Every structure is written in structure tokens, then in C-alpha cells.
Amino acid sequence: MRPVNLYFLTRIKDIDSFSSYEQFYTNRPEAVRARAHDLLALRAFVSTLMKQGLEIADFDGFFNGYEIAQIGKEFDLLKFTSDCILNIEIKSQAVDTNKIEKQLRRNEYYLKHINRDLFLYTFISDTKQVYQWDRNLGLVTSSISNLCAKIKELSLTYHEDISCFFRASDYLISPLTTPARFLNREYFLTNHQEKIKAEIQVILNKTQTKSYFCIRGSAGTGKTLLLY
């Protein structure tokens, strides 16, 4: 997957054509169906930052909707430099701050093993609010100008390929082989695992009889972790 210039990406007006063009620009293996409100939020993000002084070149080098293979963990926007990682999550409307904090904490978990300085933000398109996750302070209110300054600071260099930084084995811990990490809760369930867990809990809460479940998946997908 290739990085793109977000300005040029958001110039695509036709929602029905966006997925095809985005796949072409990013060299994504398969086209991903774009949702209208997500595209509008991304346009608002670019427009807001340009009004604050960012130039077209400052939007170079972003990975849009990057997903870690096998795990299914997705980031809205990522940018890598030689010593930093910038992550920006974009919301079309106001979201509970607990959910914002949870997502940015989870993002930190998936990025921190790369051993680079992390800068994690959330941008709310309809209110123009900006939040930042700080490892020491937690979730803090930031500003458009702060976010612009960080993007400007990192605008000159970026990586063409980041897939080498992500291996499923770095995240899918096993209660059997790494019990200390499991007991210390040094993990997150993937979205798929969370979905299965919720479905099972709904069934267990509804019935008083015995229930049987079958969890199927290839090796290394986290079946044992989900079971425990």
C-alpha cells in the first residue's frame, strides 16, 4: 500500500468513484467501499487545516485507512518519518470522550513496539475539536493550530512502505505461552474478537440451559486468547 496526498484524494467528488480511485492511488489490494460521511469528514479535515495555513505539499505521505493484516486493526490516517509516527482519527460528529480515549490507547498499543515517538490525535469534523492522547496526561484537549504545527513539522519525510513494521505475532499473545502479559492485560481484542465475545455473552445472558459454541479460525488468529 502506498501513501497518498490527502488533498488530491479529497478532490474526488463522486462517492461512487472514490473507492476505485483510492485503490489506484494507494495500490490497495482490494477496493474498500467508501462511506459518504467518512469522505465528507476527511474533506472537512483537509479544508480546515488549509484555512490554518497548511499547503498542499503538507498533506503528502499519509496512509489512508491502513489495516494490519490478519488482525483487522485499522487506522484512519498514519504517517511515518524516520523517528516519529503520526496517527489521526477522524470523526464526522461528536463522540463520547471515553470512546476517543479507548481508541487512541488501543492505537498506542499497536504502534508503540515500533519504538518511535508517537503523536496520536482525534479530529471531530462538525465541531472542529481536536483531542490528543498523552501517555502521561491521558486524553487532553488540543487545537487545530497544534495539529497543523505537528503535520508541518513532519511534512518533509515519510516512508513509502510500512507493512514491515506490523506483524501479527507482535500483538496476538497467548495465555499459555505468555501468561504474564495476559495477566497484566497487555493486549487488546480485535474488533472481530470483540464482536464474537459480545455475541456469546448475549446468548449466555438469555438462556439458563447449557450452550455450546464453536470458534473456528486459522493458526495465530487469537482463538485461545478469546476463549480465556
Side-chain angles (χ1 to χ4, degrees), residues 113-172:
H113 77 283
I114 304 175
N115 293 321
R116 301 189 186 197
D117 292 334
L118 300 179
F119 300 95
L120 303 102
Y121 295 87
T122 293
F123 171 82
I124 313 296
S125 68
D126 65 349
T127 62
K128 306 300 185 290
Q129 289 177 290
V130 177
Y131 297 93
Q132 182 177 7
W133 171 251
D134 183 284
R135 181 174 296 183
N136 297 316
L137 300 177
L139 187 70
V140 297
T141 301
S142 187
S143 65
I144 297 292
S145 59
N146 177 278
L147 179 55
C148 285
K150 182 55 62 178
I151 294 176
K152 197 80 173 177
E153 178 185 334
L154 305 180
S155 65
L156 296 180
T157 59
Y158 57 89
H159 283 275
E160 287 285 351
D161 181 22
I162 60 175
S163 58
C164 60
F165 296 117
F166 298 100
R167 298 174 301 176
S169 58
D170 291 329
Y171 314 109
L172 295 176

Side-chain angles (χ1 to χ4, degrees), residues 66 68 73-78 85-91 99-114 118-122 133 135 166 171 188 191:
Y66 183 84
I68 303 176
K73 168 59 183 171
E74 184 177 335
F75 304 88
D76 283 350
L77 298 175
L78 281 178
I85 303 175
L86 174 64
N87 165 230
I88 305 171
E89 297 296 322
I90 299 178
K91 308 297 182 186
K99 292 184 177 180
I100 293 175
E101 178 177 342
K102 181 179 179 180
Q103 182 179 40
L104 294 183
R105 284 182 61 244
R106 185 185 295 251
N107 289 2
E108 179 188 43
Y109 168 78
Y110 284 107
L111 295 170
K112 66 181 180 181
H113 77 283
I114 304 175
L118 300 179
F119 300 95
L120 303 102
Y121 295 87
T122 293
W133 171 251
R135 181 174 296 183
F166 298 100
Y171 314 109
F188 281 99
N191 290 339

Side-chain angles (χ1 to χ4, degrees), residues 33-47:
R33 177 66 179 172
R35 295 178 295 186
H37 67 273
D38 289 335
L39 180 54
L40 290 174
L42 183 59
R43 288 175 185 161
F45 168 76
V46 171
S47 176

